[in-house]
Amino acid sequence: MAGTYIITGANGSLAIPAIKYLLTKYPNSTLIATVRNADETDLNTRSLRNTLNAFPQANTFIRQLDLTLLSSVHDFAKSIAADISSGKLPPLSAIICNAYYWNLVKPIEITEDGYEKCFQVSHLSHVALVLRLLGSFGLSGGRIVLLSSDAHKPGANGLAKYLPAIPDDLEQLVKPAADVPVDNFGKGFLRYGNSKLDPSLSKITAVAINPGNLPDSRALRTNSPNWLFYLSKFVFGPLLFLLRRIDPIMRTSAEAGADVIALATNEAFPGERGFFTWLKKDESSVESLDEEKQRKLWVKSAEWVGIGADDTKLKTLDL
């Protein structure tokens, strides 16, 4: 499916093989690969550049996008919308909301915008990006792909110590109280799980995919305790073929990346909405399916990121 594809966190463990799959199977696509640090010195972005260099005929762009700063998201979205409107870029085919952040070793972090960092990067900034760009899809529509996790389902992930939930007071999601007692790992993983409680969004379809548990993910070596790093390096990776019998959704980032692109291009389940684990229809958590909570969280999220009725083509919410 030709058109423009935006993928956030494009230098990540899942994103790089996903991009390789996209450019191999859909060489006429235009790719906007966003990264927090586009500098040549960044090792992860250098890996992304090496991947793109293998496709010299492809129409690809690396764009800097800081999801911890809402002004950066708004400016980026306005720039993309202007380029599509002027014909510099083809209309959008998909937005792949891949980037996320977690912190399992430090106390709560607050962004310059005043919001909890994990929730802003994983949820709020993608809300702003999607809502601003809904009017930039082509007449044939397209896909919004949200990267989810089994961490959003109570009891589904063995690392979870606390049950994820959408609180009655939604402000607790963006401005949580200090953890008492201090439990950086447990509460950090809870904040990650809550950020994956995205309720779903014509011809533009929104899907959420749990890509599986990825033992080769860079996340296990970033803002994670040492024991998790050593498990990923010396147990998860080498024994993946055995661990799959215990955790049937464990797999490599490359396998997950191919599924993400299959959904983004409408190759898999064309025109359908919903939640998927791998490429299998699945049920999201009970709470995330609560339509009243969906509405309240979307309206509040739009308020938090400064999106009004004139900033988006979505007219079904009371913005």
Side-chain angles (χ1 to χ4, degrees):
M1 183 177 180
T4 296
Y5 291 79
I6 296 175
I7 181 166
T8 63
N11 59 3
S13 304
L14 181 151
I16 288 179
I19 287 169
K20 184 176 181 180
Y21 183 89
L22 174 69
L23 297 180
T24 299
K25 194 159 187 179
Y26 302 93
N28 294 326
S29 302
T30 295
L31 173 70
I32 308 294
T34 80
V35 295
R36 181 179 57 83
N37 184 358
D39 195 274
E40 292 282 356
T41 60
D42 185 271
L43 294 179
N44 300 312
T45 301
R46 189 182 304 170
S47 178
L48 171 62
R49 290 186 192 280
N50 290 339
T51 298
L52 298 183
N53 289 340
F55 300 90
Q57 305 304 317
N59 195 28
T60 63
F61 306 89
I62 295 177
R63 294 283 298 271
Q64 189 153 317
L65 175 60
D66 187 351
L67 297 175
T68 69
L69 200 61
L70 286 172
S71 61
S72 173
V73 180
H74 290 301
D75 289 345
F76 170 80
K78 290 176 184 177
S79 173
I80 294 297
D83 285 348
I84 291 173
S85 179
S86 68
K88 291 181 180 179
L89 290 173
L92 286 175
S93 287
I95 301 173
I96 303 171
C97 302
N98 168 70
Y100 74 94
Y101 178 83
W102 75 4
N103 172 16
L104 308 182
V105 293
K106 293 179 288 187
I108 294 169
E109 296 175 278
I110 303 297
T111 66
E112 289 185 30
D113 297 301
Y115 301 135
E116 193 277 315
K117 188 174 180 178
C118 175
F119 195 75
Q120 177 163 332
V121 171
S122 306
H123 173 73
L124 288 182
S125 289
H126 287 114
V127 168
L129 181 66
V130 167
L131 289 181
R132 279 202 174 273
L133 289 175
L134 283 177
S136 296
F137 281 82
L139 295 177
S140 60
R143 271 260 164 92
I144 297 162
V145 181
L146 308 170
L147 270 289
S148 187
S149 165
D150 64 357
H152 89 284
K153 289 186 176 182
N157 190 292
L159 295 179
K161 297 173 65 176
Y162 306 95
L163 299 181
I166 300 175
D168 292 333
D169 179 8
L170 295 178
E171 289 291 331
Q172 293 178 24
L173 292 171
V174 292
K175 298 178 180 179
D179 297 334
V180 178
V182 175
D183 184 355
N184 292 334
F185 182 89
K187 291 301 179 69
F189 198 81
L190 172 64
R191 285 186 279 275
Y192 166 71
N194 282 343
S195 75
K196 296 297 185 179
L197 276 166
D198 284 330
S200 295
L201 292 174
S202 115
K203 294 181 181 178
I204 301 172
T205 56
V207 294
I209 178 174
N210 169 13
N213 294 324
L214 312 178
D216 57 351
S217 171
R218 196 173 74 232
L220 299 178
R221 306 186 295 276
T222 306
N223 294 328
S224 300
N226 289 335
W227 62 264
L228 191 54
F229 165 75
Y230 289 120
L231 275 177
S232 68
K233 185 174 182 180
F234 298 111
V235 178
F236 293 159
L239 298 179
L240 177 59
F241 69 101
L242 290 176
L243 292 173
R244 279 175 160 162
R245 298 180 181 180
I246 302 171
D247 181 354
I249 66 169
M250 187 175 283
R251 61 175 175 171
T252 67
S253 294
E255 292 170 316
D259 283 356
V260 168
I261 297 303
L263 284 172
T265 57
N266 265 307
E267 170 190 330
F269 299 94
E272 293 193 37
R273 297 172 171 83
F275 183 86
F276 297 83
T277 294
W278 293 16
L279 284 184
K280 298 174 183 177
K281 274 277 196 176
D282 202 352
E283 286 292 322
S284 184
S285 69
V286 172
E287 190 166 34
S288 69
L289 296 174
D290 185 315
E291 292 187 3
E292 180 60 16
K293 288 190 175 183
Q294 287 181 11
R295 187 192 67 80
K296 287 181 178 179
L297 183 55
W298 267 109
V299 170
K300 197 65 178 176
S301 295
E303 176 187 319
W304 284 326
V305 302
I307 293 286
D310 295 335
D311 301 315
T312 179
K313 292 294 185 181
L314 185 64
K315 302 303 180 187
T316 57
L317 293 179
D318 184 19
L319 299 179

